[in-house]
């Protein structure tokens, strides 16, 4: 929908003109998966699709949340902004952001009417929830004049996800949504939050996102991975008492001390994280040096590690990636995001895109009975106010 169409919908729903419109994007991660909450590197980029939020002060002591995809308005009195709604309610994402402003001592004294619309496919691992959190944080920051920078807005979104959606996610998704830049990927150190914007110049090559349509639900399994990594850190502390995060270990250091991890599952998880951090650093160097083929090989290796050691891929993502690897003109292909369904990201030569869609699509249908969807990603900007 265009901004004008959204404004018309706002008027229809609330009977008044919207006062402001904000946008924040979804993201696709090129490499560096399940490294963020281990203090490692990630390399995501913001997409051109995302979530819009329209609002107007309503002169009442309540917030009205309405999504274009839902028929119901969810009304929350200002006195209840700190309490989550029933688990699974979509409005918990924006509500969780309001709660974070309160926690930071911000006074919210006026109510708003809010309308949300987004075009990030839901449950596809492209961060529809981070887009919703960050657009809310950006809007509130602007409305309340709190002056938080983009990194703080990302942290607010992440905390909202922890406390109102009960997923102990890392910072990557919200950071990418807040800091994205057109035609750049974000090389982010998730420990220090220092980052570089790296130009993504892919001559004759496109970033193709393939959607399994096997919904990924981040929840218990994701939180299990977070815990398994913490267990590995605890066990490693018997020989490295000062160790904070798995990502602090080089491959050589890890190889030397890994035998102290007695839990076999935690050992596999740790092996993925240490290898993935190194692959991400290497991949960024290769991209900067223009060695796309090498970048692609690292993407494939990332998928294999996520499949075998981290165990977050599954039949749907594996079918897409493994078929893609066999197609001429595919530079690299891997799952992206949390896993357990969702999407793969592939670098594909322009002349091979039609064959890619046809061959990957039919192999996928044959194996799973589902239709995959393909999008050519456009790398867009981070959160903003729209005119
Ligand atoms: C989800 C989380 C992120 C990150 C990825 C895996 O998208 O929200 O913080 O952990 O999974 O890399």
């Amino acid at each position: 929908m265009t901004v004008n169409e959204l404004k018309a919908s706002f008027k229809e729903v609330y009977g008044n003109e919207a006062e402001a419109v904000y946008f924040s994007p979804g993201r696709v991660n090129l490499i560096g998966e399940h490294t963020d909450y281990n203090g490692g590197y990630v390399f995501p980029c913001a997409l051109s699709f995302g979530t819009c939020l329209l609002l107007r002060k309503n002169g009442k002591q309540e917030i009205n949340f309405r999504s274009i995809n839902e028929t119901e308005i969810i009304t929350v009195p200002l006195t209840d902004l700190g309490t989550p709604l029933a688990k699974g309610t979509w409005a918990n994402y924006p509500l969780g952001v309001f709660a974070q402003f309160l926690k930071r001592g911000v006074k919210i004294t006026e109510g708003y009417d809010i309308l949300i619309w987004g075009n990030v496919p839901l449950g596809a691992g492209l961060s529809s929830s981070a887009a919703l959190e960050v657009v809310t944080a950006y809007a509130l920051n602007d409305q309340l004049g709190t002056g938080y920078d983009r990194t703080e807005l990302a942290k607010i979104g992440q905390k909202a996800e922890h406390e109102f959606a009960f997923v102990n996610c890392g910072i990557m998704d919200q950071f990418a949504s807040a800091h994205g830049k057109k035609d750049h990927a974000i090389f982010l150190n998730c420990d220090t939050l220092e980052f570089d914007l790296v130009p993504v110049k892919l001559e004759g090559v496109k970033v193709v996102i393939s959607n399994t349509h096997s919904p990924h639900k981040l929840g218990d399994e994701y939180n299990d991975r977070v815990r398994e990594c913490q267990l590995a850190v605890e066990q490693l502390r018997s020989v490295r008492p000062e160790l904070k995060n798995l990502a602090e270990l080089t491959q050589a250091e890890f190889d030397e001390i890994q035998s102290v991890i007695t839990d076999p599952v935690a050992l596999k998880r740790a092996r993925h994280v240490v290898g993935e951090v190194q692959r991400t650093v290497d991949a960024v160097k290769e991209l900067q040096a223009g060695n796309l083929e090498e970048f692609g090989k690292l993407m494939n290796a990332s998928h294999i590690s996520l499949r075998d050691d981290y165990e977050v891929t599954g039949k749907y993502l594996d079918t897409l990636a493994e078929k893609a690897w066999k197609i001429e003109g595919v530079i690299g292909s891997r799952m992206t995001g949390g896993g357990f369904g969702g999407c793969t990201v592939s670098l594909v030569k322009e002349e091979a895109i039609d064959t890619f869609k046809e061959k990957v699509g039919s192999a996928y249908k044959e194996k799973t009975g589902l239709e995959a969807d393909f999008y050519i990603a456009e790398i867009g900007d981070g959160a903003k106010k729209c005119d």
Side-chain angles (χ1 to χ4, degrees), residues 27-297:
R27 65 94 191 93
V28 64
N29 188 21
L30 298 178
I31 193 162
E33 218 65 85
H34 288 278
T35 49
D36 59 353
Y37 51 85
N38 288 298
Y41 288 99
V42 292
F43 197 45
C45 31
L47 293 169
S48 56
F49 37 67
T51 300
C52 287
L53 182 152
L54 294 84
L55 57 69
R56 162 182 195 97
K57 287 200 186 78
N58 61 18
K60 300 182 194 155
Q61 289 295 296
E62 63 191 29
I63 313 284
N64 288 314
F65 294 104
R66 166 79 197 265
S67 156
I68 289 228
N69 308 322
E70 316 276 335
T71 45
E72 196 196 347
I73 292 181
I74 297 178
T75 300
V76 180
L78 294 188
T79 47
D80 291 352
L81 291 179
T83 315
L85 303 164
K87 202 170 173 188
T89 309
W90 72 268
N92 269 331
Y93 294 102
L95 184 59
V97 169
F98 275 87
Q100 287 304 316
F101 276 76
L102 292 184
K103 275 199 160 175
R104 283 166 168 71
V106 176
K107 300 259 178 302
I108 299 172
T109 52
E110 291 175 284
Y112 291 95
D113 290 338
I114 291 180
L115 181 69
I116 302 285
W117 171 84
N119 58 355
V120 186
L122 296 181
L126 301 176
S127 295
S128 53
S129 55
L132 177 50
E133 289 149 5
V134 175
V135 78
T136 310
Y138 192 94
L140 273 185
N141 196 37
D142 185 50
Q143 291 287 318
L144 303 171
T146 31
Y148 295 134
D149 64 15
R150 286 175 185 266
T151 298
E152 195 59 27
L153 298 181
K155 287 184 186 169
I156 287 174
Q158 181 195 21
K159 278 278 169 207
E161 180 101 18
H162 290 184
E163 293 175 16
F164 277 57
F166 311 105
V167 176
N168 295 323
C169 64
I171 190 77
M172 168 170 74
D173 304 349
Q174 292 81 5
F175 202 95
S177 188
H179 277 282
K181 184 162 182 231
K182 190 168 168 42
D183 297 330
H184 288 70
I186 306 169
F187 182 41
L188 169 67
N189 177 331
C190 298
D191 185 31
T192 62
L193 298 187
E194 280 162 358
F195 67 101
D196 282 328
L197 293 168
V198 179
V200 180
K201 281 195 229 109
L202 306 171
E203 257 127 66
V205 170
K206 297 278 184 210
V207 178
V208 180
I209 296 173
S210 310
N211 189 344
T212 59
H213 283 292
S214 153
H216 99 142
K217 264 214 190 85
L218 283 191
D220 294 348
E221 286 168 311
Y222 184 93
N223 291 342
D224 286 346
R225 296 301 180 280
V226 177
R227 263 195 304 275
E228 288 154 3
C229 290
Q230 282 162 355
L231 175 62
V233 171
E234 276 159 32
Q235 299 199 332
L236 286 165
R237 283 195 187 127
S238 63
V239 286
R240 286 280 294 256
E242 75 295 354
L243 188 72
K244 197 169 74 171
N245 289 311
L246 285 175
E248 286 161 38
L249 297 172
T250 63
Q251 188 68 56
E253 286 169 330
F254 179 71
D255 290 346
E256 207 181 304
I257 60 174
Q258 58 169 314
S259 60
V260 304
I261 307 177
T262 53
D263 183 283
V265 172
L267 176 61
K268 280 166 110 183
R269 307 303 188 236
R271 191 160 61 210
H272 163 74
V273 172
V274 173
E276 183 76 355
V277 171
Q278 188 59 51
R279 274 189 292 278
T280 307
V281 172
D282 294 344
V284 173
K285 281 195 199 128
E286 299 294 1
L287 184 69
Q288 286 173 317
N291 299 331
L292 218 48
E293 297 288 336
E294 293 306 314
F295 187 93
K297 285 184 196 152

